[in-house]
Amino acid sequence: MKCSLFLMLAACLFSTANLWITPANADDLLPADTPIASVINHYVNQRMAALRVQPTPPAEDTLLLRRTMLDLVGRPPTLVEAQAYAADENPHKRDELISRLIGSPGFVRHQADEMDQFLMLSSGGTVRTYLVKALEENRPWDQMFRDLLLGETDDVEQKGAIEFVKRRVSDLDKLTTEVSSIFLGVNVSCAQCHNHPFVDDWTQDHFYGMKSFFGRTFDNGGFVGERDYGLVSYKTTEGESREAKLLFITGVELEQPPVKEMSDKDRKAEKELLDKLKKDKEAPPAPEFSLRAKLVETALATGQNELFAKAIVNNLWARFYGRGLVDPVDQMHAENPPSHPELLDWLARDFINNGYNLQRLIDGLVRSEAYARSSRLPEGDYPPATAFAVGSVRPLRPEAYAAVLKMAATSPDFFPAEMSVEDRENRAEGIVSRSRTIARSFEQPAPGFQVSVDEALLMSNGDRIRSELLSTSSEALLGKLNATPDRAEAINLLFWNVCSRPPEAGEVEAIQAFLSSRQDDLPQAYSHVVWALLTSSECRFNY
């Protein structure tokens, strides 16, 4: 209670009220109890009407099933799942599918992969073990934020979370930039050297103000510690030396207790203690006043937490819709307003009011009309991407791409129609688990994504592709094709198994012609056809 009052007083006294992501008046937003998907439909349709843009029709059932499964559980449907879904006339089948997928083990596994990449890609480390446990419990995002910045090594619930800080503690500039980017949607790195030339919100004061929250954090033998003394100082572009204020990114300036004066005797005693703790493999004692804890408290305080909520809402929106409501996602500032400000405000308010529930938010995002649109534009010019009038085409992350390839290369007989849902999911999880080794060979998606040379060479000439994806065993797709005497049936089976859809007439004609030209060696011909499909963009992307 004492800390909260301290924060409130400090905020009132020193805030510059520089809130550059100004929330809309709550009365102007749709009612709070409106379903998330309905809110998305309303605001996206409203903007399309203003732009006079016509959306694409809903995606075909089979393609939407594949898209949803790749987004929620990180694998494509089996042939039986795809054909059963296409034949199902239940008008509620999509809602039931989403609920079932979110309740399945694959949801935790895949979301942990996605979150681990989001949090740790630039660090070279991982917090996946922590994330799996947190996501299994549907732990709130604000609690995960606390765990990741303050996690206690010996606390079972937080085990592994502090790796987020530990991996970056040797470079406090990087730690400052990435905490701001990931959790607050503000990449303030350029303000490290100078005030931003085009964005008034970002000054050197902001960068070093944020760095002050980490200025006392250090590594001691693999443990993250924090001192009770130390100030961050810097030079302005005019050469003026300054001591940084404890300044949150929104411009709220905080007071802190007087900095402890350290005598030579104090420093010597501290060094001896830290050396002993390092030798005994024990964590340094906690500080009396933690600046990192003050950062967490400030980011989550009422009135400041909108930025924290908007950052993760915008990141998840970008993951499922191909681009952020604010894009790029780490450029949330006054000069880069959201495409749908009311929608972002509503989603952030809903996220806060519902306990920072990630699972609830994801559930709502994938139920909207905009998410379900076809990614194929029938005719005409593409509408502005900010209209979200066309389904997005997104490169798959390595784990999901590897899962697509391994599932596609497996015989459909491995998932017989009479198999129970539970057994099928367990068997699919086994294939996905075994695909993780080859996932390391694939390129991570990034803006302007292009397949790397290494990946292209692997897919063209790699022995692993031949041995793992083009096997002719009875459990492999190629084995099944070779054992299927009816060529038309084999082609149909091939497309359902690899692409989760039936073949188009032109595709059947082309493959029939190719197979006819290779009558002398049909197994080799089928191998070429399977390779061509597996290495196509259809397998590399979610669309």
Side-chain angles (χ1 to χ4, degrees):
M1 176 62 76
K2 190 178 292 183
C3 287
S4 297
L5 288 174
F6 174 81
L7 171 62
M8 291 170 63
L9 177 62
C12 290
L13 288 175
F14 297 101
S15 170
T16 60
N18 189 14
L19 277 172
W20 14 266
I21 306 297
T22 307
N25 187 326
D27 294 338
D28 296 335
L29 300 178
L30 288 180
D33 59 355
T34 310
I36 293 175
S38 299
V39 172
I40 295 171
N41 296 342
H42 171 82
Y43 286 119
V44 171
N45 291 342
Q46 186 179 63
R47 179 167 165 78
M48 284 194 299
L51 295 172
R52 298 184 179 181
V53 165
Q54 288 296 319
T56 55
E60 296 168 26
D61 274 357
T62 52
L63 301 187
L64 186 54
L65 171 68
R66 179 183 185 272
R67 180 189 303 173
T68 307
M69 290 192 66
L70 284 170
D71 275 339
L72 294 184
V73 297
R75 72 164 177 90
T78 65
L79 180 148
V80 168
E81 287 173 325
Q83 292 185 339
Y85 189 80
D88 190 352
E89 296 181 354
N90 176 2
H92 305 296
K93 66 179 181 180
R94 176 157 175 75
D95 286 335
E96 293 173 3
L97 169 76
I98 291 170
S99 297
R100 180 175 66 77
L101 293 176
I102 287 181
S104 71
F107 179 77
V108 169
R109 184 248 314 143
H110 179 58
Q111 300 311 313
D113 284 341
E114 291 280 350
M115 294 295 287
D116 197 37
Q117 293 296 321
F118 169 57
L119 293 166
M120 301 299 288
L121 180 60
S122 63
S123 74
T126 178
V127 291
R128 190 176 185 280
T129 301
Y130 163 78
L131 289 171
V132 168
K133 182 173 178 56
L135 291 167
E136 282 175 344
E137 300 169 358
N138 194 23
R139 200 171 293 179
W141 180 237
D142 60 332
Q143 185 180 339
M144 293 169 70
F145 175 50
R146 285 193 191 90
D147 293 346
L148 291 161
L149 259 63
L150 307 173
E152 299 292 339
T153 306
D154 55 356
D155 186 317
V156 175
E157 294 299 312
Q158 303 171 19
K159 189 174 182 180
I162 198 62
E163 190 74 9
F164 178 88
V165 174
K166 193 162 78 176
R167 280 281 174 168
R168 298 165 167 95
V169 71
S170 61
D171 185 345
L172 295 184
D173 291 338
K174 178 183 177 74
L175 179 60
T176 301
T177 296
E178 296 194 349
V179 167
S180 301
S181 297
I182 292 171
F183 295 106
L184 303 172
V186 177
N187 186 336
V188 74
S189 58
C190 62
Q192 181 181 346
C193 303
H194 52 76
N195 295 343
H196 197 289
F198 308 117
V199 183
D200 292 340
D201 302 328
W202 295 353
T203 68
Q204 282 185 285
D205 288 341
H206 287 91
F207 179 85
Y208 290 101
M210 285 295 289
K211 184 177 178 179
S212 293
F213 290 104
F214 303 107
R216 300 173 183 174
T217 298
F218 66 99
D219 173 86
N220 192 60
F223 291 92
V224 174
E226 187 173 356
R227 295 186 171 91
D228 267 313
Y229 63 91
L231 292 171
V232 171
S233 59
Y234 66 100
K235 276 194 173 182
T236 67
T237 49
E238 291 78 24
E240 177 190 354
S241 295
R242 290 183 182 173
E243 280 188 353
K245 300 171 182 175
L246 195 59
L247 188 71
F248 188 55
I249 198 68
T250 56
V252 171
E253 184 180 332
L254 305 169
E255 280 194 328
Q256 56 181 307
V259 178
K260 184 178 180 181
E261 295 292 336
M262 294 288 287
S263 66
D264 290 343
K265 183 179 177 182
D266 292 336
R267 291 182 186 278
K268 181 179 178 183
E270 181 191 62
K271 184 176 185 310
E272 289 174 353
L273 173 62
L274 292 177
D275 286 346
K276 182 177 186 307
L277 291 172
K278 188 186 300 183
K279 182 179 178 183
D280 296 341
K281 300 187 183 307
E282 294 181 17
E288 293 179 9
F289 182 84
S290 169
L291 293 176
R292 274 188 290 129
K294 183 56 63 180
L295 172 62
V296 172
E297 179 187 336
T298 306
L300 299 178
T302 301
Q304 300 296 316
N305 54 354
E306 288 157 358
L307 190 60
F308 174 77
K310 284 180 179 178
I312 188 65
V313 165
N314 193 46
N315 267 289
L316 286 175
W317 181 280
R319 191 208 296 176
F320 293 112
Y321 288 80
R323 61 173 289 132
L325 293 167
V326 177
D327 198 79
V329 294
D330 63 352
Q331 299 291 313
M332 297 180 69
H333 56 76
E335 306 302 323
N336 187 35
S339 57
H340 299 69
E342 297 88 357
L343 174 56
L344 184 56
D345 284 337
W346 191 97
L347 290 172
R349 182 186 70 179
D350 181 78
F351 188 56
I352 295 170
N353 290 347
N354 287 281
Y356 299 94
N357 188 333
L358 290 171
Q359 192 177 104
R360 181 179 184 280
L361 175 60
I362 291 172
D363 181 287
L365 292 177
V366 298
R367 289 181 192 269
S368 80
E369 294 171 359
Y371 176 84
R373 295 195 209 293
S374 172
S375 58
R376 182 180 295 179
L377 191 67
E379 58 183 8
D381 297 330
Y382 263 85
T386 55
F388 299 104
V390 181
S392 64
V393 179
R394 294 164 277 145
L396 293 168
R397 291 201 181 279
E399 292 81 6
Y401 183 34
V404 165
L405 296 176
K406 293 288 278 188
M407 291 284 292
T410 300
S411 169
D413 292 343
F414 201 62
F415 298 97
E418 64 272 17
M419 179 178 275
S420 70
V421 171
E422 183 179 6
D423 286 347
R424 185 172 64 238
E425 289 185 350
N426 288 337
R427 189 165 283 192
E429 283 300 300
I431 292 177
V432 172
S433 176
R434 292 192 291 278
S435 73
R436 299 184 77 85
T437 55
I438 199 171
R440 301 184 191 119
S441 306
F442 300 136
E443 188 77 4
Q444 283 286 352
F449 170 79
Q450 290 187 344
V451 171
S452 69
V453 172
D454 287 348
E455 183 178 319
L457 289 173
L458 172 71
M459 301 305 284
S460 299
N461 307 306
D463 290 338
R464 293 191 67 186
I465 298 302
R466 180 168 297 281
S467 62
E468 295 191 29
L469 304 181
L470 300 178
S471 165
T472 55
S473 74
S474 61
E475 293 187 350
L477 171 63
L478 260 178
K480 176 67 176 177
L481 295 177
N482 290 332
T484 303
D486 187 302
R487 200 174 295 172
E489 181 185 346
I491 294 172
N492 189 57
L493 181 153
L494 166 69
F495 273 84
W496 276 103
N497 210 61
V498 176
C499 305
S500 308
R501 63 172 176 83
E504 296 179 0
E507 293 167 331
V508 173
E509 184 180 352
I511 294 177
Q512 285 277 22
F514 176 72
L515 294 176
S516 296
S517 71
R518 298 295 305 272
Q519 290 280 10
D520 57 321
D521 192 353
L522 273 179
Q524 185 67 13
Y526 273 124
S527 176
H528 288 314
V529 171
V530 171
W531 176 85
L533 271 187
L534 292 178
T535 57
S536 70
S537 56
E538 189 159 353
C539 282
R540 191 64 179 87
F541 288 80
N542 197 2
Y543 59 94

